Amino acid sequence: MRIREMIEGRKEWRAHVARVKALPRDYQIVYKEIQKYLFKVGPVQLTEGTELLSGIVDLFEEGAAMGKDVLEVTGRDVAAFCDDLIKDSKTYADLYQESVNQEVHKAIQKVSKKTK
Amino acid sequence: MNFWEMITGSDMTKEMKSFELRVKELPADYQAAWEEINVNLWPHSNFTGRNLMPILDGVLGLLEETAAEGQRVQEVLGVDIKGFCSALVGEEGAASYRDKWRKQLNDNVAKKLGK
Amino acid sequence: MLKGVLEGCVLEIINRGETYGYEITRRLNALGFTDVVEGTVYTILVRLEKNNLVDTEKKPSDMGPPRKFFVLNDAGREELRKFWEKWAFLSSKMNELKERER
């Protein structure tokens, strides 16, 4: 429940889902695909508070209110839009790799101390 | 020793329990996929499994969303769960997976918007 | 390359007075950057906010949801100054190159 808890508890998550459901159908489709992509890539921003996901909904609500087509808002390359959004954010895979490297580093130090 | 035993008794148990509760809500094929993901991810785990928690959380979120949409689990993960898992933790092949995910995103959008 | 230039454009537009995402996009489109979409501007605004170059305020809108308005703070103005400096350098070098080629 971490990602959801981070969006300030279940109540807030439900409110977030309700906002998504209130979007026009084509906006909902794109939002859901974006969310799936972000869950796979796992940017740390995803759990750093509400900004990332609710920010996208803000953007979409306003675009929808203006009667714009969803792809006019994101551009045709939705993936590029996502990558731009999380460009500065590390992913959990990055953190994982760092933690592994640290452990390997520690293990090597241990071994080299012993052999001294 | 499996993943579950490995983390039992650690402070991760509570979090794993909450995962389990969420998994029980999923369709059977999704539950099976979750098991397989765990089997494939646990060799990547450090002793407590702490470094895997956010990654597992993301995957579970993905499974929940796609199950709710009524997608088949193979459509979501592909047939190569092992490859999917190493991409999740940023191992070899992660870059090509990320490309695949990008393409999947844009293709799905195009397909579902009917354009 | 274009991304960095766009960021400068967005900073400059905000510097002219408090504004919001869709208006910035419209102004860029009017300038001739017709392929700039709101999503692109949005990613830039997120970054400016994250780097503390802007102050934001949500205000109700007569059409749709409340809008987030942006103004530059001191750090943002400094960033903009640096941008124009870099731009002046770049364009003088580009011109120099063009002259020499003749």
Side-chain angles (χ1 to χ4, degrees), chain A residues 41-93:
Chain A
V41 176
V44 175
Q45 260 170 301
L46 212 49
T47 52
E48 275 176 353
T50 70
E51 292 295 299
L52 185 60
L53 293 178
S54 67
I56 296 170
V57 177
D58 290 344
L59 175 74
F60 280 13
E61 279 177 349
E62 199 167 347
M66 295 170 78
K68 284 203 169 199
D69 194 275
V70 61
L71 292 185
E72 278 179 69
V73 174
T74 57
R76 293 221 145 258
D77 190 347
V78 181
F81 166 71
C82 294
D83 286 343
D84 247 7
L85 263 185
I86 57 176
K87 192 167 77 175
D88 301 330
S89 177
K90 282 191 178 179
T91 66
Y92 280 109

Side-chain angles (χ1 to χ4, degrees), chain A residues 1-4 26 29 33 35-37 39-40 69 77-79 83 92-93 96-97 99 103, chain B residues 15 22 44 51 54 57 64-66 71 88-91 98 102 104-106 108 112-113 115:
Chain A
M1 215 140 300
R2 187 184 297 212
I3 289 169
R4 294 168 178 211
D26 56 335
I29 288 170
E33 293 302 324
Q35 185 173 291
K36 274 192 265 178
Y37 178 72
F39 279 155
K40 283 183 251 185
D69 194 275
D77 190 347
V78 181
D83 286 343
Y92 280 109
Y96 169 78
Q97 290 299 330
S99 77
E103 259 162 54
Chain B
E15 200 156 5
R22 287 165 63 189
H44 294 291
N51 57 352
D57 185 42
E64 285 169 337
E65 293 301 322
T66 47
Q71 253 185 297
L88 283 178
V89 294
E91 301 278 275
R98 178 102 178 238
R102 273 190 201 108
Q104 216 173 21
L105 166 59
N106 285 342
N108 280 348
K112 290 184 183 174
L113 291 181
K115 283 176 188 173

Side-chain angles (χ1 to χ4, degrees), chain B residues 90-105:
Chain B
E91 301 278 275
E92 228 172 293
S96 67
Y97 255 90
R98 178 102 178 238
D99 285 341
K100 215 190 264 176
W101 293 339
R102 273 190 201 108
K103 193 174 175 305
Q104 216 173 21
L105 166 59

Side-chain angles (χ1 to χ4, degrees), chain C residues 63-74:
Chain C
M63 185 168 78
R67 282 189 180 127
K68 203 186 230 179
F69 281 82
F70 296 80
V71 284
L72 289 195
N73 57 25
D74 287 343

Side-chain angles (χ1 to χ4, degrees), chain C residues 4-57:
Chain C
V5 174
L6 263 185
E7 198 166 310
C9 293
V10 171
L11 280 169
E12 179 60 39
I13 290 171
I14 299 174
N15 192 41
R16 305 273 172 92
E18 191 183 57
T19 182
Y20 57 94
Y22 277 87
E23 193 176 73
I24 295 170
T25 312
R26 256 198 310 269
R27 297 196 44 187
L28 287 168
N29 291 158
L31 262 175
F33 295 110
T34 45
D35 54 349
V36 174
V37 293
E38 172 55 23
T40 315
V41 172
Y42 176 73
T43 61
I44 292 171
L45 291 174
V46 167
R47 214 166 315 132
L48 294 181
E49 196 178 349
K50 210 173 165 203
N51 295 331
N52 289 319
L53 301 173
V54 287
D55 293 329
T56 66
E57 195 187 341

